[in-house]
Every structure is written in C-alpha cells, then in structure tokens.
Amino acid sequence: MNSIMYCEITPHSETVDRWNDVTINAGASQSTLQDIKLPEGAGCFTYRSSGDLSSCCSNRFIYWRTNHDVIELVEISLDFTLRGNHLRLRFQNTPILRGVSIHENHDQVVLLVATVSAIHKLVFPHPRRLERDCGFPVKKKEVAGPSVFFDTTGATLRSRSCYFVLNHVSLGIPLPHTSCSWLDVEGNATFVLANSAGSVLMVVMSDKHGVEITTTELMKTGSIFRLFNGLVPAVMRNNRTEVALSIVCHQDVNNVLVFSLFSDLQIRIWSHRRQECLLVDSVLNFDSEKNLIAGNFTAHQCHLRKSLSGSNHNFYLGIYIPVPHQKMFYVFQPLTSPDKCKLKLKSTLRQTQHDLVDFCISNTHIWTLWLSFENQPIVFSADIESALKTEPDIYWVPVDLQPQVCRTIDYGASTPQEAYLKEIFKVGRFLPSTISKAISIYQTAKNSSFISNVSMKVDDLRSRVIEAVESEILIKTGNLDDAENEYCEIAAECWDRFFSYCIQYHEVGMKPLGMSVDPCTGCVILIKKNFYSLLCPCDSLELMTSPNFRSFFFVSLLDEE
C-alpha cells in the first residue's frame, strides 16, 4: 500500500477573534440586487516563499470566506502570532462572485474581488515591507508581529481608485454569476465575468493614471472582439444557450490562459496574449464509458478547478460533473505551445455517495471535500495516476477527520463544574469565540449583557463562564437550604445547558466551506465557517488507531489478492 494516510489537525486558539469591520458602498441599487442568491464560498492564498523557513512568509497564508455581500479574510502564520489579522469587508448590497484571488506584487499584497455590479482592487502591505518598516524580528518567534491587515482603514479601501462600477443594469445585460481574476506584472487587474446570456467578458482595470477600464468579449471561436465604450450592448449580443458555469485562469511567463466549462460540457481555452480562442473541446469526447449525458447543467452542479502547482508549465485541470447515481471527476493536463493548446486526459475518477462541497488539485493528488447524508464532513484524496484501478474504494483514500463532540459528560468523582469545565476548555475542543458566543446567548436568557467579540484570553473566558453558570444556579436555588443532591442536580442541569450551547455553536462553526493546497509545502488547508484546520500525514501510532486506516488497509489487501 503506497498511499499516505492523512489526519486533521486543528490549531489551538487562545483568544477570541477580534474583527476589523469595513463597509464598502460602490453605489449599487439594493432594489435591483437584494434578491440575488449566490452560494457561500471559500479560498486560500499562500505566499511564494511559504516553504522558506528563513522568510517572513514561512508557513504563512491568507484564507477567506464569502457569504452574500461579505468576505472575511484571516491571515495565519504557523510560526508566530499575527496582530490585527481578521478583516471583514461588506460590499453593501452587492453579492460576491466566485473567483476571489490574492496576489503578490513587489511590496504589496493585492486582493481582487468581483461582485455582481463592481470590480475591486484592494492593496495591502507585503510582509516584507512590514518587516522592513516595523523592524519585526522574524527569527524571534515568541513575539507577535503585524498582519498585512493590521492598519487597514475604511478610508483607504473606499478610495475611488480601488473599484469600478459595471453598467450591466443600465445596458440591459444580465448580471454575472461567476468570475476569475489575475494581476499582471505591471499591476493591472483583469477580471473575467460570465453571465446567464452566455457572454464571457474581460474587464481590465489599470490605476496608473487614474482608473482606466478596457472591456472585451471572449468569443466562442476566433479573435477577441475589443470594445472601448463599456460593456457589450444588448442589441449586439446573441441568444446563446451555452452558459459558462466555471472559469479559471493560468498565468504563464508570457501569457495568461483562460479556461471555461460551459453548460453543454464544452471546454473553451482563450489566450490573453494572442487575443483568440485556442481550443473548443467537450468533456463528452473523453467519456469512453458513456457516463455523461448531454444536456444543460447549472453552475451549482459542475465545477472547474486548476492545480496550484509551483510550475508554470505543468498543471492540471479538474472537472466535476454529477450524473445519476455517481459523481465524476475528469483530470486533464493542458499541453500548450505558442500556437495551439490541447487537453490530455490523465484520469477519470468516480464517487457514488455524498454531496460535494469543494475540491482542489496538487501536482500529484486530487483532494475532495464532501458532506455525508448525516451532514458530516468527509475528505478523500486520490493519486491522479491511480485511475488505472477501476474500483472507487481502491483509489479514494479517506482522511481521518476529528470526531464530533460527545454530548455526554462522565462526572466520576468530580463536581459538575469541574467535569464540564474540563471538557469545555480541553485543548482543541472549542474555539474561544465559540465559548464567547455561548456565554452571550446563555446570558441573553437572563437579560444580561455580554459582548461576544471582545478580545479575551482563555483564563478570562473561563472566569466569565463560571460567573455566568453559577449566577443561574444561584437564581434557581435561591436562599433555600436545599439538600446537596438537589443542588447538584440543578448545577448539572445548568452546566449541561451551557455545554449544549457550546456544542451548537461549534457544529455551526465547523461547517466545511472549502479546501486548498499549498503548492510549495504540500500542506492541505480545510476552511470552515468559523476556523480552519490542516490535513497532515499520520504517524505510525495514528495509523494503527484510525478506523479509516483499518478499513482502507482491509480493502487494499483484497485488491492485492
């Protein structure tokens, strides 16, 4: 058995998250956009030198979550504590499209965000600049350093040079539903936007001499038709049935390739440098087993992903297509040259159960995140070359995820307070923010006030928990001289209720939203609603005690026989 087993590790957090909230109003009309519903999303950016232990970017990354018109950004360093690393942006009344991206540009970290009515280019200082300006000692790991979001202010992000409003509504053009974006070497931001009319538009935003916008439409075949007067007028658009469901881009040394999966399962590849469509092909042409059925799919069904490889030349495209009774993955290797491009099918994988949340691709593996029928997260990985085996149980390797919190507390010889506090503050059990929210809702029932987003250390949080629960116990017991067993029953009831609040917030916060892999270190990052976790190779003891390992090992033995 050559496959490596992985297990989930949740980093320990010692303080309640403190968010810097900024609202950006790009002039959108709430009456027009308030009914638009887009799914939650998540993503991750890793610095180019994340694998260099001598760099200030070592083991450092930024992950984000999007929900309607809000994006939450968190910068993480596994080497030292970052200050001011939580930033929450609200793009007022303008839902955020999939395709958020972050880039390094000299001494800047650039965030590109497309909403249904505007494009945004937001600039933050690079860690190298912070190290130089602040004199932060990288080698001194016990010292807390500033995050790239540390000094972020609303005035900076609301600058007119940071965004451009798209005039879709005034021209009668359908609003976009998906996007991708990149930053070129000159600092120009390019956004590719797809709408329900079948149009795929490229908008280039340059801010060297004020905000300058150039818009083009990516045609199905042939050259790109360049427009200089805003977006494509409705009278010039064709009625197309094929809609771009998912878009990704790949930056090479001298070119950018745009890949799009359409609702009829066609794949189109455009060259930014050549200004033309290089390839039109169909996934159906690679479906030798005839698993797929031609038809119109939706953006919520099919997904296109690109491997985050450190190489500019060798990368993979992954396509997910659900069909009756199974879910199909097709992994392609694009073969590019200056004049043409073609797709080489590397593997076909299938899964028969669960609902896909997200997937990502490294230069060797495909990682998939699912929800089971019981609404529990499940992660599988597969070697891209392993599709030569035909049984899904063979090439899918399960990841050992952290179990659910047990709702039953065994007191033993302890008091209810001792037993519950031990479980609540067990390392890795609950986030401080989860406990803080539980205190807030617990005291709401008593008409008490508690601000759950105030920065607070674990020891202070522990004291507030004891104070909240003991106050309720005192109210319920009053000044009566109750028997000891009656007092213990009331105390156990109060502590159990607080513990149940912690579990409820924990389960909501652990909802999986996405995953990503660092191309430099190979670290896999699982992004959740309130936190993140890492998928790490198991050691020998973890392998032998994991139920996933035992079942996988048994299946592998059967395969060898």
Side-chain angles (χ1 to χ4, degrees):
M1 183 178 61
N2 297 322
S3 299
I4 300 175
M5 287 286 294
Y6 282 74
C7 62
E8 181 184 17
I9 303 296
T10 300
H12 180 54
S13 177
E14 296 184 347
T15 59
V16 177
D17 300 336
R18 188 170 185 177
W19 290 92
N20 178 12
D21 289 282
V22 177
T23 298
I24 299 174
N25 188 346
S29 171
Q30 182 175 0
S31 60
T32 304
L33 306 175
Q34 62 183 352
D35 295 330
I36 297 174
K37 302 296 182 184
L38 294 174
E40 291 181 280
C44 186
F45 159 79
T46 56
Y47 292 93
R48 285 192 290 263
S49 57
S50 63
D52 182 1
L53 296 179
S54 64
S55 169
C56 58
C57 299
S58 166
N59 295 317
R60 190 163 173 167
F61 57 91
I62 299 172
Y63 71 88
W64 64 84
R65 301 176 289 253
T66 60
N67 185 7
H68 192 57
D69 62 350
V70 174
I71 180 170
E72 295 179 340
L73 299 121
V74 182
E75 186 180 24
I76 296 294
S77 171
L78 302 179
D79 294 341
F80 51 85
T81 302
L82 292 175
R83 292 181 283 113
N85 62 328
H86 288 70
L87 177 63
R88 183 187 289 123
L89 304 178
R90 179 181 296 276
F91 298 91
Q92 193 167 358
N93 302 323
T94 56
I96 299 168
L97 302 176
R98 177 177 284 277
V100 174
S101 63
I102 298 179
H103 308 267
E104 295 176 76
N105 185 37
H106 304 297
D107 282 348
Q108 297 177 337
V109 173
V110 182
L111 169 67
L112 302 182
V113 180
T115 70
V116 296
S117 65
I119 54 176
H120 299 260
K121 176 186 176 184
L122 307 176
V123 179
F124 306 92
H126 195 278
R128 287 192 303 266
R129 178 178 167 187
L130 294 174
E131 180 186 20
R132 183 177 64 248
D133 295 348
C134 303
F136 174 65
V138 177
K139 297 294 185 181
K140 198 171 182 180
K141 304 301 185 183
E142 68 273 12
V143 178
S147 164
V148 299
F149 305 131
F150 180 71
D151 283 331
T152 300
T153 62
T156 302
L157 301 184
R158 296 189 193 103
S159 170
R160 191 64 185 85
S161 62
C162 294
Y163 67 90
F164 175 76
V165 178
L166 305 170
N167 54 348
H168 291 85
V169 177
S170 62
L171 292 177
I173 298 176
L175 297 173
H177 60 262
T178 190
S179 72
C180 73
S181 56
W182 71 86
L183 192 75
D184 65 23
V185 293
E186 296 180 352
N188 299 318
T190 302
F191 299 83
V192 179
L193 311 169
N195 61 34
S196 59
S199 296
V200 180
L201 305 175
M202 180 184 294
V203 184
V204 181
M205 180 180 182
S206 175
D207 55 4
K208 290 183 178 179
H209 308 288
V211 179
E212 297 179 355
I213 299 295
T214 303
T215 303
T216 62
E217 181 180 9
L218 304 185
M219 308 301 288
K220 285 184 179 180
T221 57
S223 300
I224 298 177
F225 181 66
R226 183 171 296 278
L227 300 169
F228 296 95
N229 298 317
L231 299 178
V232 185
V235 295
M236 297 179 62
R237 291 183 288 111
N238 297 324
N239 292 324
R240 302 167 181 166
T241 57
E242 303 88 2
V243 176
L245 305 180
S246 188
I247 310 173
V248 298
C249 60
H250 176 74
Q251 289 181 268
D252 207 333
V253 177
N254 300 314
N255 194 13
V256 177
L257 297 177
V258 178
F259 300 84
S260 181
L261 175 67
F262 278 72
S263 55
D264 58 356
L265 300 185
Q266 283 196 343
I267 305 169
R268 290 183 174 86
I269 305 176
W270 291 279
S271 167
H272 181 260
R273 180 173 59 85
R274 290 175 57 88
Q275 300 283 283
E276 66 180 8
C277 181
L278 298 181
L279 178 71
V280 179
D281 207 337
S282 175
V283 183
L284 297 173
N285 295 334
F286 300 91
D287 182 29
S288 59
E289 298 180 7
K290 305 303 178 185
N291 294 304
L292 303 180
I293 302 174
N296 271 349
F297 290 85
T298 67
H300 299 304
Q301 293 175 316
C302 302
H303 305 286
L304 175 66
R305 299 286 186 271
K306 183 184 76 73
S307 65
L308 300 175
S309 173
S311 169
N312 286 327
H313 302 287
N314 298 320
F315 63 99
Y316 293 113
L317 282 180
I319 295 177
Y320 168 77
I321 303 172
V323 295
H325 311 300
Q326 60 184 339
K327 287 85 174 176
M328 303 298 301
F329 290 92
Y330 295 87
V331 181
F332 296 93
Q333 182 179 18
L335 303 177
T336 62
S337 66
D339 299 324
K340 60 182 179 179
C341 181
K342 67 177 182 178
L343 296 174
K344 177 183 179 182
L345 181 65
K346 294 294 292 185
S347 62
T348 302
L349 304 97
R350 61 177 59 84
Q351 174 62 256
T352 57
Q353 300 176 344
H354 317 308
D355 296 319
L356 184 73
V357 176
D358 195 13
F359 75 98
C360 62
I361 307 176
S362 70
N363 56 356
T364 58
H365 285 75
I366 179 171
W367 296 85
T368 60
L369 173 61
W370 310 80
L371 278 178
S372 68
F373 297 127
E374 294 80 22
N375 212 35
Q376 295 302 310
I378 298 173
V379 175
F380 290 110
S381 69
D383 190 309
I384 292 175
E385 303 289 345
S386 69
L388 296 175
K389 299 181 178 181
T390 57
E391 294 298 326
D393 289 336
I394 303 302
Y395 53 69
W396 288 119
V397 181
V399 173
D400 192 21
L401 300 182
Q402 293 187 345
Q404 288 183 282
V405 177
C406 180
R407 295 176 178 268
T408 304
I409 301 296
D410 183 13
Y411 298 170
S414 304
T415 65
Q417 175 176 309
E418 293 172 343
Y420 278 97
L421 284 176
K422 181 180 179 180
E423 285 297 319
I424 292 171
F425 289 94
K426 185 177 181 179
V427 175
R429 173 69 78 218
F430 298 127
L431 295 174
S433 58
T434 297
I435 301 173
S436 180
K437 290 177 182 177
I439 296 175
S440 180
I441 192 65
Y442 191 85
Q443 292 192 329
T444 299
K446 302 188 305 174
N447 296 321
S448 300
S449 61
F450 175 77
I451 302 175
S452 62
N453 62 348
V454 174
S455 182
M456 187 181 300
K457 292 189 177 296
V458 172
D459 290 341
D460 298 328
L461 203 57
R462 185 186 183 94
S463 299
R464 294 302 298 264
V465 170
I466 295 174
E467 178 185 343
V469 179
E470 288 297 324
S471 295
E472 185 183 26
I473 295 173
L474 183 61
I475 292 173
K476 289 193 173 184
T477 56
N479 296 321
L480 299 177
D481 187 17
D482 292 329
E484 182 177 351
N485 60 339
E486 293 179 355
Y487 177 86
C488 288
E489 288 180 4
I490 293 175
E493 176 187 326
C494 294
W495 278 104
D496 186 69
R497 189 162 72 89
F498 181 82
F499 187 61
S500 69
Y501 287 155
C502 291
I503 292 177
Q504 291 174 33
Y505 277 113
H506 174 76
E507 291 178 346
V508 171
M510 292 299 106
K511 175 186 175 182
L513 296 179
M515 65 190 316
S516 183
V517 58
D518 184 342
C520 297
T521 64
C523 177
V524 182
I525 302 158
L526 195 61
I527 305 166
K528 304 179 181 181
K529 193 173 184 66
N530 282 348
F531 205 50
Y532 75 100
S533 60
L534 306 174
L535 305 184
C536 304
C538 297
D539 59 30
S540 301
L541 179 60
E542 289 171 327
L543 281 175
M544 298 307 296
T545 57
S546 168
N548 283 331
F549 169 79
R550 291 194 293 269
S551 60
F552 176 69
F553 182 71
F554 177 72
V555 171
S556 299
L557 287 178
L558 292 179
D559 179 57
E560 291 176 3
E561 293 178 358

